[in-house]
Amino acid sequence: MTTFFSTRRSLIAAAVLAAASVGLAGPALAQDASKKQLVIGGTAGSNIDQLQAGIVPLLQKKGYKVKLVEFNDYVQPNLALADGSLDANFFQHEVYFNQFKGDRKLDLTALVQGPIAPMGVYSKQRKSLADLKEGDKVSLPNDPSNLARGLLLLQQAGLVKLKTGVNPLRVSELDLAENPKKIKLLPLDAAHLPRSLDDAQFAIINGNFAISSGLKLQDAVLLEKTPEHYLNIAAVKTKDKDAQWAKDLAEAFRSNEFKTVVDTKFAGYAKPAFLQ
């Protein structure tokens, strides 16, 4: 699986503690209790950074040896999870997750929510959206769930209007009712959006890829008001959702220690209620 991920971040490890005695427990429980090596995937930027700064240290304290695997796209992390190369991943919101696993027929489960860097509108050529001119090019993610999210952000800004009654989670360019500035939409792979700033007047960029490219949230001319269904999730294989290590992973995300890390190192991120 080395072709699936970057080598910029490699092994993050701690000494493995002795496995607890399993007594009279059956083989499955014994295997669950003794699993102390985890491989967790995340996309470049804020997602892998949250794992590294806030989740791995908490798992290490519980005796886990953790390897983080960095990806640069939104397809491979779920495929790697499904084929067993990963134990868990943290990179996607629930809308994308449900659509992807349904389309690919993957037996995966959302374990717990976590913070996400808001999607934002960025520009190198314009100081604000008020400077948008007729015919300006706006790049945005091309995967269906984030394309819809980008269009909703343009509607939030008052630049387009969507047709009445459309499903806001599945809208596309075909669902525009009004585009008074005749904006030219350029759907691109999400990881390529930061580079599109050299050609497009504006780019709607997912927070993790904005940060991994060197942009800051405060650089955005507009940040989304992130609804709960666009918060990140940690996902696992369905068969693992009740494993002790999965419970420990979920507990790490819900902990006061992780909340402190998010508040100090990831200010401005959208967060689930338990981290507010």
Side-chain angles (χ1 to χ4, degrees):
M1 291 297 298
T2 55
T3 58
F4 285 163
F5 49 83
S6 162
T7 58
R8 181 168 70 84
R9 288 187 175 89
S10 56
L11 190 64
I12 298 177
V16 180
L17 301 181
S21 172
V22 296
L24 299 177
L29 181 59
Q31 184 178 16
D32 172 28
S34 64
K35 181 177 175 63
K36 288 293 183 179
Q37 297 192 48
L38 301 177
V39 183
I40 304 175
T43 43
S46 60
N47 296 330
I48 200 85
D49 291 344
Q50 287 182 69
L51 292 171
Q52 187 175 49
I55 299 301
V56 170
L58 296 177
L59 292 173
Q60 288 176 332
K61 287 180 181 179
K62 292 195 172 186
Y64 290 96
K65 182 179 179 181
V66 184
K67 178 180 179 180
L68 293 184
V69 177
E70 184 179 290
F71 294 82
N72 290 301
D73 74 293
Y74 286 157
V75 175
Q76 300 305 330
N78 280 330
L79 298 181
L81 178 60
D83 73 17
S85 300
L86 299 177
D87 295 301
N89 65 37
F90 178 69
F91 77 99
Q92 63 196 319
H93 53 69
E94 190 171 11
V95 179
Y96 177 85
F97 173 70
N98 288 336
Q99 183 171 353
F100 189 95
K101 74 170 185 175
D103 291 345
R104 302 292 183 111
K105 296 180 173 55
L106 304 180
D107 194 13
L108 307 178
T109 294
L111 184 67
V112 64
Q113 285 185 316
I116 191 169
M119 176 178 277
V121 183
Y122 296 83
S123 180
K124 288 183 178 180
Q125 304 178 40
R126 304 280 191 268
K127 291 183 178 181
S128 74
L129 284 171
D131 298 327
L132 186 144
K133 299 177 181 178
E134 185 170 316
D136 271 355
K137 292 180 287 186
V138 178
S139 58
L140 72 172
N142 64 3
D143 64 277
S145 63
N146 282 307
L147 174 63
R149 188 178 169 196
L151 292 173
L152 289 172
L153 188 52
L154 288 177
Q155 180 170 257
Q156 175 187 321
L159 296 174
V160 300
K161 186 175 181 180
L162 299 173
K163 294 176 182 177
T164 302
V166 296
N167 184 342
L169 302 182
R170 293 184 174 273
V171 296
S172 71
E173 304 100 311
L174 299 178
D175 296 311
L176 290 180
E178 297 179 17
N179 181 8
K181 292 283 191 179
K182 297 181 175 58
I183 295 170
K184 297 177 181 177
L185 298 175
L186 305 174
L188 299 172
D189 182 271
H192 298 156
L193 288 167
R195 293 196 293 274
S196 73
L197 284 169
D198 293 330
D199 299 313
Q201 282 70 49
F202 294 91
I204 302 176
I205 307 176
N206 295 76
N208 63 297
F209 285 129
I211 290 170
S212 68
S213 71
L215 295 169
K216 298 179 175 59
L217 295 182
Q218 57 265 36
D219 294 334
V221 297
L222 177 68
L223 288 175
E224 72 176 351
K225 299 173 183 176
T226 310
E228 185 172 315
H229 52 259
Y230 285 140
L231 294 174
N232 266 344
I233 60 164
V236 297
K237 292 183 286 295
T238 301
K239 70 179 183 63
D240 292 331
K241 66 182 178 65
D242 294 319
Q244 184 57 50
W245 63 263
K247 293 177 181 178
D248 289 338
L249 177 60
E251 183 179 325
F253 275 96
R254 294 179 176 275
S255 68
N256 288 330
E257 293 89 342
F258 183 56
K259 180 181 184 303
T260 298
V261 170
V262 173
D263 289 345
T264 56
K265 295 187 176 183
F266 302 96
Y269 285 43
K271 299 177 290 187
F274 59 79
L275 291 177
Q276 299 291 343

